[in-house]
Structure formats: C-alpha cells, structure tokens
Amino acid sequence: MSDLIVNRKEGLYCVPGDFYIDPWRPVSRAVITHAHSDHARIGNEHYLTAAAGVGVMKSRLGDISIEGLEYGEQRVHNGVTISLHPAGHVLGSAQVRMEYKGEVWVASGDYKVEADGTCAPFESVACHTFITESTFGLPIYRWQAQQSIFNDINQWWRNNAAQGRTSVLLSYSFGKAQRILHGLDASIGSIICHGAVEPLNHAYREAGIRLPATKMVSDVGDKNELRQAIVIAPPSASNSPWIKRFGDFSDAFASGWMQLRGARRRRGVDRGFVLSDHADWPGLMQAINATGASRIIVTHGSIPVMVRYLQQQGLQASGFDTEYGDEDETSATAVTTATTALAEPSTSKEGDHA
C-alpha cells in the first residue's frame, strides 16, 4: 500500500482522506494538532481540532469554521478513521491517529511526556508509522523534573521581592506562560501578566485549568506592590518601553534553549530557567518506543541526528522537511553549535552539565 501521509507544498497530506495536518498554506480541510502559530494558520476553509483547544484556536485565529473532537472520539472521513489523542504539549494539543485498511499512522505534532497540570497528559498510541517532532532531538537535552524548576523560579522571585525588585519572567504567551503560572507560589506577591498573555489565561480558565489570580499592570497603583510582583511577559517585551515602567527589575527567560551555554548571554537576561513544552531526548525516545512503530518519520528540529540514531536502532527512519518553526527558539545558531558538539547518542553525558 502507498504511504498514507505524503509531504506536499501545502503541508502533510493524508492521501485517501483528502485532508491536511497542520498545513502551512491554505487548504479546504485541515486537522490541527495545536494552536501555536506555526501549526495553526489562518486561511483554511474548515478546521478540525481537539475539543479542548477550540477556545484557544478561536482566540488566536478569530472567526473560523472549526469543529472540536473529544480525545479518543472517532470520525470516519473518506474511509480513514481519525481520532485525536493528548500530546501533553499545551492546552488542546493532540496527536492525530489515522487508520486506513488496517494500516495505522500517528502524527504527533509537538509533544512532551511529563504531565504538567495545564493540559491533558501525553498518551502513547500504538501505530505502524509514527511522525515525530525533533525540536530538542539531541542527547544534550535532558530536562530536570519541572517541580525543581518551579522551586527555582519561586526562590528567584522571593529573593527579588526581599530586595524590592520586580521579577520579570519572559516566556511564550501560549502554553509556557500558563504552565509557569500554574507552578507559581502566589503567596510571594502579585502576579502581573502582559496584554498578550492575559487573554490566553482566560481561555485556560474557561477550559477548567486552575491558574492563580493575575492582573494587568494598569490595575496596579502602588509602586510597592510592583516591587514585590512577578511579571509574566512575552520575549518581545524585552527592552520595550512597556518593560521600563518596572524600574529596577531582575529579568529571566524560560526555555529549553537555556540549557545551551551562551543562550542566556545572547538573551541578555539575569537568569535562565530550563523549561520546555517539548520532549527532551529521553522523552522523544520513550515516546517513539512506546508506539511500537517500525517506521519513524522525523520532522522539524534535529532531523539528521535523530534519523541516523533511529536507523542504528534498527528502525526504518527518514525525515519530512516542513515549514514548522519553534515557539521556544532563541537562535538557529545555538542549535547549529550544539549539533557540531554532538557526541554519540548512546553515550553522551553532556546534558547532565550543559
């Protein structure tokens, strides 16, 4: 049987089903894994996504024709049985399972395997062919348990508050910001969110996700309150006129790229917290092995490294070139530098001290 999914100029195309997965050019029917802008783009005639993500999709794309499918619910389209399963990436993120004439393919979108309380946890889905991301597909990337990172963030905030300095934590508005909010100790002080973050907080609360109380900076009249506060803002706010209102502040950036030497320096921030909504190297391998798939197709990220490693493990592995980006990206140079320093995947210990 010919491949169920092929790579076209519009995106990943399900041939018998006549639909696209996360297309990067407008199409008639799009199945969307999650609402990050590199996977969910405007202009498609009809969208299908996980029911949990419909609110965020509408908040980001506006008035669109969209249908929500509950996790595990099946839909048959042109003989292809489609179901969506949690990817653990952000609210409403999903893997797309497709079955046709006994052949099962799963397109993962973006995913992480550590549950975080702000979205449905990752679910392993058995398949014959697994399409995986590889954003952090190098063995140097090995995350600490997230509670350890949250403890560090809260202690940094607590120390700044004791010195009367505002804590400004830069993180991506959708997903990362809400995950950080979920882990904050609200007893330390007020939590202020940038205007790009607060509408997404509302979408998360509407979906039943617990977040601490937040406010906009315009709601704060007392400068002493600001000095005890933590501010959650997108990276674009760094060095902007908006951020200067906080006067004496300490800034930090939360991203998986903070594990790379020099990434914090390039960002020009006081602290870097290694926190990513993507799977690290062990997480990627865990997810791939759990599918039982004999064929792996690697997309956006460190494609050559992962393909080579998987082939060495006896799997049929290849890559798809896509136009997906990375909402966590600090610089392409950082990834290139890490790739040139790569040791053998089975023996590397670089991630332990990077």
Side-chain angles (χ1 to χ4, degrees):
M1 187 174 74
S2 58
D3 285 352
L4 189 60
I5 304 293
V6 298
N7 200 6
R8 288 187 170 180
K9 69 179 186 300
E10 297 87 358
L12 304 183
Y13 178 64
C14 179
V15 180
D18 189 27
F19 60 83
Y20 288 83
I21 301 169
D22 295 347
W24 41 85
R25 290 177 178 78
V27 298
S28 58
R29 300 189 67 85
V31 179
I32 303 298
T33 62
H34 65 287
H36 276 139
S37 59
D38 56 328
H39 290 259
R41 307 192 187 198
I42 198 69
N44 300 306
E45 292 181 22
H46 181 78
Y47 296 79
L48 176 70
T49 196
V54 169
V56 178
M57 286 282 291
K58 288 182 175 180
S59 73
R60 305 204 96 192
L61 300 183
D63 185 17
I64 56 175
S65 172
I66 187 169
E67 179 182 3
L69 200 63
E70 296 293 340
Y71 289 127
E73 180 183 353
Q74 294 187 340
R75 179 67 48 83
V76 179
H77 183 73
N78 291 349
V80 178
T81 301
I82 307 166
S83 57
L84 303 179
H85 303 265
H89 178 57
V90 293
L91 180 63
S93 60
Q95 305 170 80
V96 184
R97 181 188 186 275
M98 296 150 285
E99 182 172 356
Y100 183 70
K101 295 183 177 180
E103 189 76 12
V104 178
W105 286 50
V106 171
S108 69
D110 291 336
Y111 63 90
K112 72 174 184 299
V113 297
E114 183 181 24
D116 68 19
T118 64
C119 60
F122 179 84
E123 176 186 311
S124 298
V125 183
C127 58
H128 300 101
T129 300
F130 184 54
I131 303 175
T132 179
E133 65 143 313
S134 61
T135 303
F136 290 101
L138 296 173
I140 59 172
Y141 294 113
R142 300 168 188 268
W143 310 147
Q144 295 182 45
Q146 63 187 349
Q147 189 56 54
S148 173
I149 306 302
F150 292 146
N151 291 344
D152 288 345
I153 291 173
N154 284 317
Q155 189 58 52
W156 167 74
W157 177 17
R158 193 174 291 110
N159 292 342
N160 289 332
Q163 298 173 36
R165 303 180 73 198
T166 307
S167 301
V168 177
L169 182 50
L170 303 173
S171 63
Y172 289 88
S173 301
F174 170 38
K176 182 70 63 60
Q178 291 73 38
R179 186 179 173 196
I180 289 171
L181 287 171
H182 191 72
L184 289 180
D185 179 358
S187 70
I188 300 172
S190 296
I191 302 173
I192 298 169
C193 287
H194 187 275
V197 175
E198 193 62 22
L200 290 156
N201 296 343
H202 177 73
Y204 269 65
R205 293 187 179 106
E206 286 286 303
I209 304 301
R210 181 193 64 80
L211 298 178
T214 56
K215 58 178 68 175
M216 303 279 281
V217 68
S218 57
D219 300 326
V220 180
D222 184 353
K223 288 187 176 180
N224 287 326
E225 182 180 356
L226 280 182
R227 295 188 184 103
Q228 307 295 315
I230 189 170
V231 178
I232 308 298
S236 59
S238 179
N239 299 318
S240 70
W242 179 86
I243 209 169
K244 297 186 188 308
R245 71 185 68 191
F246 300 113
D248 182 25
F249 64 85
S250 177
D251 57 357
F253 190 80
S255 169
W257 299 116
M258 290 295 103
Q259 187 162 324
L260 289 177
R261 298 182 182 90
R264 187 182 74 184
R265 183 178 66 252
R266 282 188 291 273
R267 278 286 174 183
V269 293
D270 297 331
R271 286 290 302 271
F273 296 107
V274 183
L275 186 70
S276 178
D277 294 328
H278 296 264
D280 61 0
W281 176 265
L284 290 166
M285 296 304 111
Q286 174 187 331
I288 289 169
N289 292 334
T291 67
S294 59
R295 183 182 180 190
I296 310 298
I297 299 175
V298 182
T299 66
H300 58 302
S302 304
I303 295 176
V305 172
M306 274 190 60
V307 167
R308 184 175 71 249
Y309 177 76
L310 294 170
Q311 288 174 345
Q312 291 171 351
Q313 308 313 302
L315 295 171
Q316 182 185 352
S318 59
F320 271 165
D321 288 329
T322 67
E323 295 187 16
Y324 306 133
D326 171 32
E327 70 282 353
D328 263 1
E329 188 171 8
T330 56
S331 76
T333 303
V335 179
T336 302
T337 302
T339 303
T340 60
L342 180 67
E344 277 300 309
S346 58
T347 60
S348 174
K349 298 292 185 182
E350 289 188 58
D352 295 335
H353 54 81

